[in-house]
Amino acid sequence: MNIKPSAAIRKNYNEISELCKRSGEPVYLTKNGEGDLVVMDIEAFARRESMLCLRENLIAAEEGRMSGKTGYSVDEVSSMMKDAVREVLDGQRK
């Protein structure tokens, strides 16, 4: 976990930007010793957003299944999963 004081973003923007890009992880900024902000590389943010969208879709599908909604064929599920994986990988490659 990368933790920096908030003053570091003003003084060392390029260093923090490089750290975010190199690690692919967020940098947590503190103010007066308390958590204040999280800064992350745009590619890491896009990956996280893609994963959240995928999880929401999977939860919705599971809720539908549990409530009796008709399912999909094996071929339909295979196609949907390939599309979902492709979306996540595209988010990582950009």
Side-chain angles (χ1 to χ4, degrees):
M1 183 181 293
N2 297 309
I3 302 173
K4 304 279 183 189
S6 61
I9 194 85
R10 290 187 298 273
K11 296 176 183 175
N12 303 314
Y13 177 87
N14 290 335
E15 178 185 321
I16 291 177
S17 175
E18 180 58 32
L19 177 60
C20 289
K21 290 175 183 173
R22 185 177 62 247
S23 70
E25 295 294 323
V27 173
Y28 299 86
L29 300 176
T30 63
K31 184 175 181 181
N32 299 324
E34 298 288 328
D36 187 45
L37 297 171
V38 176
V39 179
M40 64 187 342
D41 176 60
I42 194 77
E43 290 180 14
F45 179 76
R47 278 193 310 275
R48 287 177 187 251
E49 289 295 305
S50 292
M51 288 301 298
L52 286 173
C53 183
L54 174 59
R55 288 179 183 165
E56 287 175 3
N57 290 338
L58 290 172
I59 289 170
E62 179 64 8
E63 288 173 346
R65 184 193 66 79
M66 291 177 73
S67 68
K69 186 176 179 183
T70 55
Y72 298 97
S73 71
V74 171
D75 290 335
E76 290 172 322
V77 171
S78 177
S79 177
M80 288 186 286
M81 291 303 293
K82 287 177 184 176
D83 290 343
V85 168
R86 194 174 307 113
E87 283 180 27
V88 170
L89 290 176
D90 286 346
Q92 291 177 351
R93 292 181 187 150
K94 292 181 181 177

